[in-house]
Amino acid sequence: MKLSEEFSFGLETEYMLVDAETYAPLWHRELNFHELDHIFTNVPNLDISKKGLKSQPPHSIPGHYLVEGYHCFNERGKALSILPKGIEIRTSICETIDQTVSQFNSLYKRLSLPLLQNGYRLCSVSFHPRESEFFGEQNHRNLFQWCWAQRAMCTYGPDFNIQIPQSILTPSFWKNIREKVNHYAPALAAASFCSPFFHGKLWTPLNFPGLSVRTFQRCKYAPLFEYHIEENGRFECNIFEMPTSLAEIKVYFLLWLTLLIDTQLKGRSTDSTSKNELCEVAIFGLPTKDFSKRGLAVIDAAFDQLPKYGIDPSPLLNFRKRFEQRWCPSLHLQNIFWETGTIEATLFHRCELIEDGWNPSLESQLTDQELIYA
């Protein structure tokens, strides 16, 4: 048996919903849990595996789609409803990255039509462009769960889940994994940034057009990754922001897998250093410090390490340009907003799932404004 067959993969993606005609961003005030749950039950997914998917009350059936938001409980702690922030699409446990991406593509397409028929579109952003605060009843949550559940109501992000062979989980692995992820995560996250809006305008911390409200808000409280020993030891990566393409999804899987299996990358950082650097790149992006070099180092490590496990690193070739040119999707979104002046016109460009995430003939030709950052 090839070592590649000992890996398993799963993907969870969170989407904000927008009005299908106006592209206005929606939130719990405009959305209804029971309506969305009813839409899910009519999506034909019986031919798609549900391996690893657990029931999630108050949803009527266990499945690939969830309403993401703030749960409402009765006095006995039973979940009755959800105040929606958006929708989650989740794959089953798959044997390869390609299989995972293919299944996700099917799930996305099958959900998009019934959502459109009900007046909604899926939108790939990582922080609500008009909302920044939510207050809900504590109910049966402890203080940390309560604070985090409220904060998470404005954020949207993908989770990349990987289970790796037991042979890799050596004492050296456990000794290094946390500080290794700490060191390289700011660079990898920066290449995915797509949340440059706050309260309906461009986010301008320090009077500078910042790139990621999500990462700036989230890094102070939330982990970069989690290890779920109760679920066959899967590693859940929370570093990246929402992709708009299948190519990006594949790339983020490969980058996360490289961090997990690599034994050559030397960079190490403490939790506090990583949090400070994440705040820094959230504002200024890849041009500061050596962040672009860190991203390139991970890509180089991927070409050295992944073939040993029968995994093809070639999708990373085009993605190198994001680090070489120190580019991220937020720069493109800023330009659209400067040109149009509206959130709706900008979100229009985040409401389609495409094949390629980096088109050298288009995105490598940076505009004057983007060149400021390069």
Side-chain angles (χ1 to χ4, degrees), residues 105-208:
N105 188 29
S106 296
L107 292 168
Y108 181 100
K109 290 179 178 178
R110 294 184 191 190
L111 179 61
S112 294
L113 180 57
L115 283 176
L116 185 61
Q117 292 170 338
N118 284 272
Y120 306 119
R121 294 182 190 272
L122 297 167
C123 184
S124 299
V125 294
S126 283
F127 197 89
H128 198 290
R130 288 209 169 98
E131 306 291 344
S132 63
E133 292 183 307
F134 173 86
F135 300 96
E137 296 290 336
Q138 183 174 357
N139 295 129
H140 295 267
R141 301 172 178 90
N142 63 39
L143 183 59
F144 176 81
Q145 291 170 335
W146 183 33
C147 292
W148 178 243
Q150 292 178 100
R151 185 174 294 275
M153 276 294 286
C154 298
T155 66
Y156 307 82
D159 295 334
F160 293 86
N161 298 292
I162 300 178
Q163 181 183 354
I164 61 179
Q166 288 294 313
S167 60
I168 298 177
L169 302 178
T170 64
S172 175
F173 172 90
W174 292 112
K175 177 182 177 181
N176 291 289
I177 185 62
R178 186 182 183 94
E179 291 187 347
K180 179 169 62 172
V181 173
N182 281 344
H183 186 75
Y184 293 99
L188 302 186
S192 72
F193 285 162
C194 61
S195 55
F197 303 111
F198 192 70
H199 287 173
K201 300 178 181 179
L202 290 176
W203 180 50
T204 54
L206 307 177
N207 294 318
F208 189 88

Side-chain angles (χ1 to χ4, degrees), residues 216-282:
F216 189 83
Q217 298 266 18
R218 188 180 185 280
C219 68
K220 304 167 189 176
Y221 305 96
L224 295 171
F225 74 97
E226 297 177 77
Y227 177 62
H228 298 274
I229 192 171
E230 77 285 358
E231 298 180 23
N232 297 318
R234 70 178 171 93
F235 289 87
E236 177 184 334
C237 174
N238 311 119
I239 295 170
F240 302 104
E241 299 202 357
M242 279 300 300
T244 56
S245 76
L246 300 177
E248 277 184 285
I249 291 172
K250 187 175 295 187
V251 161
Y252 297 157
F253 265 121
L254 292 173
L255 293 174
W256 177 227
L257 179 58
T258 300
L259 283 185
L260 290 175
I261 68 173
D262 176 80
T263 58
Q264 305 300 318
L265 290 167
K266 302 302 182 183
R268 300 291 184 269
S269 296
T270 64
D271 290 353
S272 60
T273 297
S274 184
K275 289 177 182 179
N276 290 336
E277 290 186 338
L278 283 162
C279 287
E280 183 177 346
V281 294

Side-chain angles (χ1 to χ4, degrees), residues 35-45 61 65 110 114 118:
E35 178 194 5
L36 295 174
D37 186 50
H38 178 71
I39 293 173
F40 298 163
T41 60
N42 292 298
V43 178
N45 282 339
I61 57 172
Y65 308 119
R110 294 184 191 190
N118 284 272

Side-chain angles (χ1 to χ4, degrees), residues 317-335:
L317 284 171
N318 277 341
F319 200 79
R320 289 184 64 93
K321 295 169 186 173
R322 289 204 182 181
F323 295 110
E324 292 169 348
Q325 299 188 9
R326 292 167 288 180
W327 186 92
C328 72
S330 282
L331 294 171
H332 182 53
L333 297 177
Q334 287 174 344
N335 283 334

